[in-house]
Amino acid sequence: MKKISLLLAVAMVWMALASACTPVTPGASSSQAAPGAASDIPTVAREKTLIFENIEGRVSEPGNQNPYSNSQYLDWGLWQANQESLFYYNYETKEIMPWQASGYSYNEDFTELTINLRDGVKWQDGEAFTADDVIFTINMLKENPELRYSSDMNEWVASVEKVDDLTVKFVLTGPKPSFLNDYFVNEVWDTVPIAPEHIWSQVEDVVNFKNYDLEKGLPMGTGPYKLVRSTETEQVYDRCETWWGAEIGFEDMPEPERCIWVTCTSEEVRAAKMVNNELDSSWTMSVSTFETAKAKNPNIFAWTDELPYGYLDACPSSIAFNNAKAPFDDPEIKWAIAYAVNQQEVVDIAAEGGSEVALTMYPTYQSLKEWLDSNQDLLDKYNVATYDLDKVNEIMTGKGYTKDSEGFWTDPQGNRLNINLIYRSGESLNVKEAPIIEQQLRAAGFYATSQALESAVFYTKTYTGDFDMCFGGALGSVSDPYATMDFFHSKYYKPIGETSDARYYRWVNKDFDAYVDIMAATAPDDPKFQEAARGALELWLEGLPCLPLMQQMFIVPFNSTYWTNWPTSENNYTSPTSWWYNCNLLIHNVHAAAA
């Protein structure tokens, strides 16, 4: 059956690639433009245009460019081309790279952080980027709890002070050795972007501010690209005439004159567009789809030349439980669900064997793998990869459940236990995982359904607690275990109906919190940190706020027809993750193939 499924998938891909596709015209108009979207933008030659796929799919709010809004992530160009980060983290070199900033220092007990800003950084309207912008941003976030990052800034920042125009001092509420890394070193997605004080200070309602007026230069960042069109299916950024980095000799002006993020409706469509040279970089593909596309167009390649082709993502694939909703507030029920899921089968089918089962929410980067290896006894004791239907039956019957006439679990009152698993329609791996898990749960007696949702709907449901289970993740740790543990701290708990942020697990365990609090105030090389990390891991495994499935090996195809010097395992100047903030580094390093 597995072989038949794979053959059918390959056949569908070949049919899609063989079909005619209309070549993209850089700058061509798209339907459903946001109010005020530019309709007359100049034509830019294809060989001067860098085209990415928007991994979110259709953009439901193309006229909302507020980077502090909880309603969406702006990984369709704003993060990568328009905004910049104080620092970047390079996964390959393991370096913290100063960008808008030039350096930093802590005091001895990690209760104060001083950030030195780079001299010469400018906003796109020519205004200087200064300490005033940083101070305004932090205070704006502290004063508006509806904004993303507000709770974090209120928790950790007692005050932020101007030393001089290029120096900012953060006075923290307590020791926090990871404060810079957590909020101002762009590791994956959630760095705190700095707002231009001279613009945002004039806004009466920053919570509902759309930050979108192309004629006024909004959104405005310090990056080398300006937004010139925003529609549901296309985001177009044109290179500025000048950019501060080139002016001061920090970095050369990037070569692409235009960067576009476009929507693809399926894996087959993205593969066809890659084959027809309509995309330079796409969202992830399965092994068979990638191999099929590469056979059609030899200019297509990925991180490695051989299996598994992909790059280890910072966030393992997992199923998040709504821990505030019965019966998912019961660890025994969650463990029964875990025993019903055959993770290896999910890996074999959904990832075509190109990955491995995940036992925790941590990516197996070297430093994290060493920590996990030191706690292998806990991973053996609480093995989430154990597939055992007898244990499912033992737990469920012990909780008073019986099976109805159709073989599905019902509670003592005769109510069937219904489980709806939701996921983002643009997540290729989740699209493949969902039907497998749905069938596994049904085979174990759980009446399960799965539902694909557009990103905006998915985020609304998860952030407000309107779900049973969802595919999710805990983006955080890349070198030590603290950040991922903090994701599950009950300080982020919101009652169902109230809006949270990406930390939507709604899990409460005060003993776990105490361990995480120790980790927050302690340097990772301190024995107290390691002891607390082990204690937190055991409680996390006992309570199982989410179910890890597999490490994600993202096959992110690139196309060298128009652009070269893409990151690969042999040319690893940065990671190939074009949907992260650090895509900035990628854009600065690609070169025109014609040159």
Side-chain angles (χ1 to χ4, degrees):
M1 180 66 71
K2 190 182 304 181
K3 290 183 178 178
I4 293 174
S5 298
L6 291 177
L7 289 172
L8 287 173
V10 172
M12 291 175 64
V13 173
W14 274 103
M15 291 173 62
L17 299 186
S19 64
C21 292
T22 303
V24 67
T25 301
S29 62
S30 297
S31 63
Q32 299 299 314
S39 57
D40 300 323
I41 59 176
T43 299
V44 175
R46 175 66 180 92
E47 62 267 21
K48 297 181 180 180
T49 303
L50 185 60
I51 305 178
F52 296 94
E53 180 184 352
N54 168 17
I55 73 166
E56 300 289 345
R58 187 181 69 89
V59 176
S60 61
E61 294 184 81
N64 185 355
Q65 303 285 334
N66 186 334
Y68 311 105
S69 171
N70 272 315
S71 65
Q72 60 187 347
Y73 281 102
L74 296 173
D75 53 346
W76 19 274
L78 187 75
W79 287 354
Q80 301 98 317
N82 180 269
Q83 295 185 341
E84 296 177 306
S85 183
L86 287 170
F87 300 85
Y88 289 96
Y89 180 77
N90 191 317
Y91 279 71
E92 291 305 299
T93 65
K94 313 303 180 188
E95 294 176 308
I96 293 176
M97 303 172 60
W99 200 268
Q100 291 173 325
S102 60
Y104 70 95
S105 61
Y106 283 100
N107 65 349
E108 187 173 344
D109 65 356
F110 298 102
T111 58
E112 292 182 0
L113 169 68
T114 299
I115 295 180
N116 307 107
L117 305 181
R118 189 177 300 278
D119 192 8
V121 180
K122 293 180 182 178
W123 296 102
Q124 291 168 339
D125 61 1
E127 289 282 333
F129 177 89
T130 71
D132 292 328
D133 297 306
V134 179
I135 293 169
F136 169 80
T137 300
I138 303 307
N139 287 331
M140 175 185 72
L141 296 176
K142 286 170 66 69
E143 293 164 5
N144 292 275
E146 301 91 341
L147 295 179
R148 182 177 288 151
Y149 316 110
S150 177
S151 62
D152 301 82
M153 295 302 102
N154 277 307
E155 179 183 4
W156 290 111
V157 180
S159 64
V160 56
E161 304 169 2
K162 178 178 179 178
V163 179
D164 56 45
D165 282 347
L166 296 177
T167 311
V168 180
K169 184 171 77 171
F170 288 82
V171 179
L172 306 181
T173 55
K176 178 71 167 172
S178 65
F179 181 75
L180 181 90
N181 291 53
D182 288 347
Y183 302 114
F184 299 112
V185 177
N186 169 248
E187 294 182 337
V188 186
W189 295 34
D190 282 324
T191 191
V192 176
I194 304 304
E197 187 265 349
H198 64 287
I199 292 175
W200 284 68
S201 63
Q202 306 303 311
V203 177
E204 293 184 4
D205 181 3
V206 294
V207 173
N208 295 302
F209 179 47
K210 301 302 183 185
N211 191 34
Y212 182 75
D213 190 324
L214 301 184
E215 293 182 0
K216 294 182 179 179
L218 301 181
M220 182 174 295
T222 62
Y225 293 90
K226 292 286 294 181
L227 181 65
V228 297
R229 172 178 289 143
S230 180
T231 75
E232 291 183 352
T233 58
E234 182 185 58
Q235 311 293 313
V236 183
Y237 287 82
D238 280 356
R239 193 176 64 188
C240 301
E241 293 183 6
T242 61
W243 172 60
W244 67 266
E247 290 178 353
I248 69 172
F250 173 64
E251 286 278 340
D252 291 337
M253 186 73 83
E255 290 186 26
E257 293 183 10
R258 172 168 289 171
C259 295
I260 303 178
W261 279 259
V262 298
T263 296
C264 294
T265 55
S266 69
E267 182 171 323
E268 291 74 27
V269 170
R270 74 173 57 102
K273 286 183 176 291
M274 287 291 286
V275 168
N276 289 344
N277 300 321
E278 298 174 35
L279 280 175
D280 300 306
S281 173
S282 82
W283 183 217
T284 185
M285 292 182 187
S286 64
V287 171
S288 58
T289 300
F290 170 73
E291 291 179 339
T292 303
K294 183 174 175 58
K296 298 282 287 185
N297 186 337
N299 287 339
I300 294 173
F301 59 97
W303 182 251
T304 61
D305 291 332
E306 299 177 348
L307 282 169
Y309 303 122
Y311 186 84
L312 179 60
D313 186 59
C315 185
S317 175
S318 67
I319 295 174
F321 296 107
N322 186 345
N323 292 277
K325 180 179 182 180
F328 310 107
D329 55 349
D330 185 338
E332 290 185 86
I333 297 295
K334 290 181 287 185
W335 268 100
I337 292 172
Y339 289 129
V341 174
N342 186 335
Q343 281 98 324
Q344 188 61 56
E345 184 177 63
V346 177
V347 170
D348 291 342
I349 299 176
E352 300 177 34
S355 186
E356 61 182 15
V357 168
L359 300 181
T360 69
M361 288 299 296
Y362 290 100
T364 48
Y365 297 138
Q366 186 58 36
S367 58
L368 288 172
K369 186 177 185 305
E370 291 173 358
W371 175 73
L372 291 171
D373 288 346
S374 70
N375 290 284
Q376 185 62 48
D377 59 318
L378 293 181
L379 303 183
D380 293 337
K381 180 180 179 181
Y382 305 96
N383 190 342
V384 300
T386 301
Y387 175 60
D388 192 331
L389 296 185
D390 289 337
K391 286 185 177 294
V392 175
N393 294 332
E394 178 184 337
I395 292 173
M396 296 304 292
T397 55
K399 302 295 290 187
Y401 283 81
T402 57
K403 287 186 176 180
D404 62 18
S405 59
E406 295 182 70
F408 293 112
W409 293 112
T410 59
D411 65 19
Q413 289 73 44
N415 301 309
R416 180 180 283 180
L417 174 51
N418 298 318
I419 299 175
N420 185 34
L421 172 63
I422 64 173
Y423 57 97
R424 289 162 51 208
S425 57
E427 288 283 1
S428 303
L429 181 61
N430 295 166
V431 171
K432 296 181 176 69
E433 291 173 304
I436 302 168
I437 292 168
E438 177 183 323
Q439 290 304 312
Q440 289 179 349
L441 291 177
R442 282 175 169 261
F446 297 100
Y447 186 77
T449 56
S450 58
Q451 183 181 16
L453 302 171
E454 287 189 346
S455 292
V457 178
F458 175 86
Y459 291 133
T460 297
K461 282 185 170 293
T462 53
Y463 287 8
T464 59
D466 183 18
F467 73 102
D468 299 329
M469 303 191 318
C470 70
F471 282 108
L475 288 170
S477 296
V478 295
S479 57
D480 71 71
Y482 165 70
T484 294
M485 290 297 187
D486 182 64
F487 231 80
F488 297 92
H489 198 292
S490 68
K491 64 191 175 187
Y492 302 119
Y493 173 86
K494 296 286 186 181
I496 291 176
E498 292 187 18
T499 302
S500 68
D501 56 16
R503 296 163 293 200
Y504 48 71
Y505 295 89
R506 292 175 166 82
W507 185 54
V508 178
N509 185 311
K510 294 302 181 181
D511 292 333
F512 172 86
D513 293 348
Y515 282 127
V516 177
D517 290 341
I518 293 172
M519 295 171 69
T522 312
D525 58 355
D526 190 313
K528 290 192 300 182
F529 180 97
Q530 296 300 323
E531 182 181 348
R534 178 179 171 84
L537 176 62
E538 181 161 23
L539 291 177
W540 189 95
L541 290 166
E542 285 181 355
L544 205 65
C546 72
L547 174 61
L549 293 174
M550 74 171 83
Q551 298 292 336
Q552 295 199 76
M553 298 295 294
F554 278 142
I555 301 176
V556 185
F558 295 124
N559 187 327
S560 63
T561 301
Y562 294 106
W563 299 98
T564 63
N565 199 42
W566 297 96
T568 67
S569 61
E570 300 297 320
N571 184 32
N572 59 335
Y573 61 85
T574 188
S575 61
T577 44
S578 61
W579 58 98
W580 291 356
Y581 256 104
N582 69 339
C583 179
N584 174 303
L585 306 178
L586 186 157
I587 294 172
H588 275 278
N589 278 277
V590 295
H591 302 308

